mmCIF file of all heavy atoms in Angstrom:
data_model
loop_
_atom_site.group_PDB
_atom_site.id
_atom_site.type_symbol
_atom_site.label_atom_id
_atom_site.label_comp_id
_atom_site.label_asym_id
_atom_site.label_seq_id
_atom_site.Cartn_x
_atom_site.Cartn_y
_atom_site.Cartn_z
ATOM 1 N N GLY A 21 13.089 35.886 32.018
ATOM 2 C CA GLY A 21 11.908 35.480 31.274
ATOM 3 C C GLY A 21 12.039 35.541 29.770
ATOM 4 O O GLY A 21 11.627 34.642 29.065
ATOM 5 N N SER A 22 12.638 36.617 29.310
ATOM 6 C CA SER A 22 12.828 36.700 27.805
ATOM 7 C C SER A 22 13.853 35.722 27.309
ATOM 8 O O SER A 22 13.782 35.291 26.224
ATOM 9 C CB SER A 22 13.195 38.156 27.449
ATOM 10 O OG SER A 22 14.378 38.554 28.020
ATOM 11 N N GLN A 23 14.842 35.377 28.168
ATOM 12 C CA GLN A 23 15.798 34.402 27.777
ATOM 13 C C GLN A 23 15.160 33.009 27.621
ATOM 14 O O GLN A 23 15.398 32.273 26.687
ATOM 15 C CB GLN A 23 16.929 34.302 28.774
ATOM 16 C CG GLN A 23 17.847 35.575 28.705
ATOM 17 C CD GLN A 23 19.013 35.453 29.657
ATOM 18 O OE1 GLN A 23 19.709 34.447 29.724
ATOM 19 N NE2 GLN A 23 19.222 36.479 30.478
ATOM 20 N N VAL A 24 14.248 32.708 28.599
ATOM 21 C CA VAL A 24 13.498 31.435 28.494
ATOM 22 C C VAL A 24 12.678 31.415 27.248
ATOM 23 O O VAL A 24 12.600 30.438 26.525
ATOM 24 C CB VAL A 24 12.631 31.215 29.780
ATOM 25 C CG1 VAL A 24 11.668 30.070 29.598
ATOM 26 C CG2 VAL A 24 13.533 31.040 31.006
ATOM 27 N N SER A 25 11.973 32.518 27.018
ATOM 28 C CA SER A 25 11.112 32.584 25.807
ATOM 29 C C SER A 25 11.923 32.437 24.497
ATOM 30 O O SER A 25 11.359 31.985 23.491
ATOM 31 C CB SER A 25 10.378 33.960 25.788
ATOM 32 O OG SER A 25 9.529 34.062 26.861
ATOM 33 N N ALA A 26 13.158 32.864 24.473
ATOM 34 C CA ALA A 26 14.007 32.804 23.283
ATOM 35 C C ALA A 26 14.629 31.393 23.104
ATOM 36 O O ALA A 26 15.013 31.084 21.984
ATOM 37 C CB ALA A 26 15.096 33.876 23.349
ATOM 38 N N PHE A 27 14.765 30.584 24.114
ATOM 39 C CA PHE A 27 15.506 29.359 24.048
ATOM 40 C C PHE A 27 15.007 28.437 22.973
ATOM 41 O O PHE A 27 15.768 28.077 22.062
ATOM 42 C CB PHE A 27 15.521 28.646 25.409
ATOM 43 C CG PHE A 27 16.385 27.427 25.410
ATOM 44 C CD1 PHE A 27 17.751 27.531 25.683
ATOM 45 C CD2 PHE A 27 15.891 26.184 25.096
ATOM 46 C CE1 PHE A 27 18.594 26.460 25.659
ATOM 47 C CE2 PHE A 27 16.709 25.037 25.051
ATOM 48 C CZ PHE A 27 18.061 25.191 25.309
ATOM 49 N N PHE A 28 13.816 28.066 22.988
ATOM 50 C CA PHE A 28 13.256 27.058 22.028
ATOM 51 C C PHE A 28 13.147 27.619 20.615
ATOM 52 O O PHE A 28 13.442 26.871 19.663
ATOM 53 C CB PHE A 28 12.023 26.406 22.572
ATOM 54 C CG PHE A 28 12.325 25.518 23.752
ATOM 55 C CD1 PHE A 28 11.960 25.956 25.035
ATOM 56 C CD2 PHE A 28 13.020 24.350 23.628
ATOM 57 C CE1 PHE A 28 12.242 25.168 26.127
ATOM 58 C CE2 PHE A 28 13.339 23.554 24.730
ATOM 59 C CZ PHE A 28 12.957 23.964 25.991
ATOM 60 N N PRO A 29 12.792 28.863 20.419
ATOM 61 C CA PRO A 29 12.780 29.385 19.082
ATOM 62 C C PRO A 29 14.233 29.484 18.531
ATOM 63 O O PRO A 29 14.420 29.208 17.342
ATOM 64 C CB PRO A 29 12.229 30.799 19.256
ATOM 65 C CG PRO A 29 11.325 30.727 20.387
ATOM 66 C CD PRO A 29 11.999 29.753 21.341
ATOM 67 N N ASP A 30 15.242 29.680 19.354
ATOM 68 C CA ASP A 30 16.645 29.688 18.901
ATOM 69 C C ASP A 30 16.960 28.321 18.386
ATOM 70 O O ASP A 30 17.576 28.199 17.325
ATOM 71 C CB ASP A 30 17.594 30.009 20.027
ATOM 72 C CG ASP A 30 17.642 31.501 20.431
ATOM 73 O OD1 ASP A 30 17.120 32.353 19.636
ATOM 74 O OD2 ASP A 30 18.123 31.824 21.531
ATOM 75 N N ILE A 31 16.590 27.245 19.148
ATOM 76 C CA ILE A 31 16.856 25.861 18.741
ATOM 77 C C ILE A 31 16.129 25.542 17.439
ATOM 78 O O ILE A 31 16.667 24.987 16.549
ATOM 79 C CB ILE A 31 16.447 24.883 19.823
ATOM 80 C CG1 ILE A 31 17.252 25.154 21.152
ATOM 81 C CG2 ILE A 31 16.631 23.429 19.364
ATOM 82 C CD1 ILE A 31 18.735 25.029 21.009
ATOM 83 N N ALA A 32 14.803 25.955 17.381
ATOM 84 C CA ALA A 32 14.087 25.651 16.142
ATOM 85 C C ALA A 32 14.675 26.337 14.944
ATOM 86 O O ALA A 32 14.698 25.756 13.850
ATOM 87 C CB ALA A 32 12.677 26.161 16.373
ATOM 88 N N LYS A 33 15.244 27.510 15.102
ATOM 89 C CA LYS A 33 15.816 28.220 13.955
ATOM 90 C C LYS A 33 17.163 27.617 13.559
ATOM 91 O O LYS A 33 17.436 27.391 12.366
ATOM 92 C CB LYS A 33 16.016 29.688 14.356
ATOM 93 C CG LYS A 33 16.496 30.544 13.238
ATOM 94 C CD LYS A 33 16.634 31.991 13.621
ATOM 95 C CE LYS A 33 17.189 32.874 12.573
ATOM 96 N NZ LYS A 33 17.355 34.265 13.010
ATOM 97 N N SER A 34 18.022 27.372 14.550
ATOM 98 C CA SER A 34 19.434 26.955 14.237
ATOM 99 C C SER A 34 19.543 25.439 14.081
ATOM 100 O O SER A 34 20.506 24.956 13.477
ATOM 101 C CB SER A 34 20.384 27.424 15.302
ATOM 102 O OG SER A 34 20.218 26.714 16.516
ATOM 103 N N LYS A 35 18.596 24.720 14.697
ATOM 104 C CA LYS A 35 18.673 23.224 14.700
ATOM 105 C C LYS A 35 19.900 22.729 15.461
ATOM 106 O O LYS A 35 20.409 21.656 15.255
ATOM 107 C CB LYS A 35 18.624 22.614 13.334
ATOM 108 C CG LYS A 35 17.440 23.021 12.469
ATOM 109 C CD LYS A 35 16.198 22.280 12.900
ATOM 110 C CE LYS A 35 15.096 22.474 11.907
ATOM 111 N NZ LYS A 35 14.093 23.483 12.224
ATOM 112 N N LEU A 36 20.383 23.568 16.442
ATOM 113 C CA LEU A 36 21.580 23.250 17.207
ATOM 114 C C LEU A 36 21.372 23.500 18.690
ATOM 115 O O LEU A 36 20.708 24.479 19.042
ATOM 116 C CB LEU A 36 22.777 24.092 16.793
ATOM 117 C CG LEU A 36 23.317 23.920 15.380
ATOM 118 C CD1 LEU A 36 24.387 25.012 15.124
ATOM 119 C CD2 LEU A 36 23.912 22.537 15.180
ATOM 120 N N PHE A 37 21.832 22.601 19.520
ATOM 121 C CA PHE A 37 22.030 22.832 20.973
ATOM 122 C C PHE A 37 23.496 23.143 21.148
ATOM 123 O O PHE A 37 24.327 22.718 20.297
ATOM 124 C CB PHE A 37 21.669 21.573 21.741
ATOM 125 C CG PHE A 37 20.201 21.293 21.861
ATOM 126 C CD1 PHE A 37 19.597 20.371 21.060
ATOM 127 C CD2 PHE A 37 19.430 21.906 22.835
ATOM 128 C CE1 PHE A 37 18.221 20.080 21.175
ATOM 129 C CE2 PHE A 37 18.123 21.619 23.016
ATOM 130 C CZ PHE A 37 17.522 20.708 22.126
ATOM 131 N N TRP A 38 23.851 23.779 22.204
ATOM 132 C CA TRP A 38 25.251 24.045 22.521
ATOM 133 C C TRP A 38 25.528 23.543 23.926
ATOM 134 O O TRP A 38 24.679 23.651 24.842
ATOM 135 C CB TRP A 38 25.536 25.523 22.412
ATOM 136 C CG TRP A 38 25.511 25.993 21.055
ATOM 137 C CD1 TRP A 38 24.403 26.405 20.308
ATOM 138 C CD2 TRP A 38 26.632 26.051 20.160
ATOM 139 N NE1 TRP A 38 24.819 26.712 19.035
ATOM 140 C CE2 TRP A 38 26.145 26.518 18.897
ATOM 141 C CE3 TRP A 38 27.975 25.715 20.225
ATOM 142 C CZ2 TRP A 38 27.008 26.661 17.818
ATOM 143 C CZ3 TRP A 38 28.847 25.901 19.190
ATOM 144 C CH2 TRP A 38 28.305 26.400 17.941
ATOM 145 N N THR A 39 26.757 23.040 24.182
ATOM 146 C CA THR A 39 27.196 22.642 25.503
ATOM 147 C C THR A 39 28.671 22.982 25.602
ATOM 148 O O THR A 39 29.241 23.593 24.714
ATOM 149 C CB THR A 39 26.832 21.198 25.822
ATOM 150 O OG1 THR A 39 27.012 20.985 27.195
ATOM 151 C CG2 THR A 39 27.664 20.248 25.027
ATOM 152 N N ILE A 40 29.284 22.536 26.703
ATOM 153 C CA ILE A 40 30.724 22.762 26.919
ATOM 154 C C ILE A 40 31.490 21.438 26.913
ATOM 155 O O ILE A 40 31.008 20.489 27.563
ATOM 156 C CB ILE A 40 30.955 23.536 28.254
ATOM 157 C CG1 ILE A 40 30.273 24.896 28.156
ATOM 158 C CG2 ILE A 40 32.393 23.605 28.559
ATOM 159 C CD1 ILE A 40 30.296 25.671 29.481
ATOM 160 N N GLN A 41 32.533 21.368 26.189
ATOM 161 C CA GLN A 41 33.396 20.224 26.195
ATOM 162 C C GLN A 41 34.779 20.667 26.724
ATOM 163 O O GLN A 41 35.276 21.683 26.318
ATOM 164 C CB GLN A 41 33.561 19.610 24.800
ATOM 165 C CG GLN A 41 34.323 18.294 24.797
ATOM 166 C CD GLN A 41 34.342 17.669 23.405
ATOM 167 O OE1 GLN A 41 34.307 18.356 22.386
ATOM 168 N NE2 GLN A 41 34.313 16.359 23.422
ATOM 169 N N PHE A 42 35.375 19.765 27.539
ATOM 170 C CA PHE A 42 36.707 20.099 28.132
ATOM 171 C C PHE A 42 37.765 19.457 27.312
ATOM 172 O O PHE A 42 37.563 18.576 26.492
ATOM 173 C CB PHE A 42 36.749 19.728 29.581
ATOM 174 C CG PHE A 42 35.824 20.533 30.385
ATOM 175 C CD1 PHE A 42 34.529 20.016 30.778
ATOM 176 C CD2 PHE A 42 36.165 21.804 30.814
ATOM 177 C CE1 PHE A 42 33.685 20.854 31.485
ATOM 178 C CE2 PHE A 42 35.274 22.598 31.514
ATOM 179 C CZ PHE A 42 34.042 22.117 31.921
ATOM 180 N N GLU A 43 39.023 19.840 27.599
ATOM 181 C CA GLU A 43 40.201 19.308 26.867
ATOM 182 C C GLU A 43 40.317 17.795 26.887
ATOM 183 O O GLU A 43 40.823 17.211 25.974
ATOM 184 C CB GLU A 43 41.471 19.967 27.366
ATOM 185 C CG GLU A 43 41.538 21.478 27.151
ATOM 186 C CD GLU A 43 42.613 22.134 27.891
ATOM 187 O OE1 GLU A 43 43.377 21.502 28.679
ATOM 188 O OE2 GLU A 43 42.741 23.365 27.723
ATOM 189 N N ASP A 44 39.821 17.178 27.967
ATOM 190 C CA ASP A 44 39.889 15.718 28.085
ATOM 191 C C ASP A 44 38.785 14.972 27.342
ATOM 192 O O ASP A 44 38.636 13.771 27.429
ATOM 193 C CB ASP A 44 39.914 15.299 29.556
ATOM 194 C CG ASP A 44 38.682 15.644 30.289
ATOM 195 O OD1 ASP A 44 37.720 16.215 29.692
ATOM 196 O OD2 ASP A 44 38.573 15.364 31.516
ATOM 197 N N GLY A 45 37.960 15.748 26.608
ATOM 198 C CA GLY A 45 36.857 15.160 25.832
ATOM 199 C C GLY A 45 35.561 15.034 26.615
ATOM 200 O O GLY A 45 34.534 14.672 26.036
ATOM 201 N N GLN A 46 35.565 15.329 27.919
ATOM 202 C CA GLN A 46 34.358 15.176 28.689
ATOM 203 C C GLN A 46 33.468 16.419 28.470
ATOM 204 O O GLN A 46 33.925 17.499 28.253
ATOM 205 C CB GLN A 46 34.706 15.123 30.219
ATOM 206 C CG GLN A 46 35.488 13.874 30.558
ATOM 207 C CD GLN A 46 34.686 12.606 30.395
ATOM 208 O OE1 GLN A 46 33.571 12.555 30.862
ATOM 209 N NE2 GLN A 46 35.203 11.620 29.689
ATOM 210 N N TYR A 47 32.169 16.191 28.600
ATOM 211 C CA TYR A 47 31.199 17.253 28.515
ATOM 212 C C TYR A 47 30.839 17.670 29.916
ATOM 213 O O TYR A 47 30.877 16.909 30.839
ATOM 214 C CB TYR A 47 29.947 16.782 27.794
ATOM 215 C CG TYR A 47 30.190 16.423 26.345
ATOM 216 C CD1 TYR A 47 30.454 15.108 26.010
ATOM 217 C CD2 TYR A 47 30.293 17.409 25.397
ATOM 218 C CE1 TYR A 47 30.682 14.790 24.691
ATOM 219 C CE2 TYR A 47 30.534 17.090 24.079
ATOM 220 C CZ TYR A 47 30.779 15.785 23.733
ATOM 221 O OH TYR A 47 31.004 15.477 22.394
ATOM 222 N N ILE A 48 30.442 18.945 30.042
ATOM 223 C CA ILE A 48 30.100 19.532 31.334
ATOM 224 C C ILE A 48 28.855 18.782 31.858
ATOM 225 O O ILE A 48 27.908 18.565 31.125
ATOM 226 C CB ILE A 48 29.861 21.000 31.225
ATOM 227 C CG1 ILE A 48 29.663 21.595 32.615
ATOM 228 C CG2 ILE A 48 28.752 21.349 30.292
ATOM 229 C CD1 ILE A 48 29.667 23.058 32.655
#
Side-chain angles (χ1 to χ4, degrees):
S22 61
Q23 290 182 50
V24 169
S25 296
F27 185 87
F28 293 106
D30 286 344
I31 299 299
K33 183 178 178 181
S34 70
K35 305 282 191 262
L36 295 172
F37 285 98
W38 290 87
T39 193
I40 296 172
Q41 186 176 33
F42 294 99
E43 294 168 359
D44 63 2
Q46 296 294 310
Y47 296 97
I48 186 171

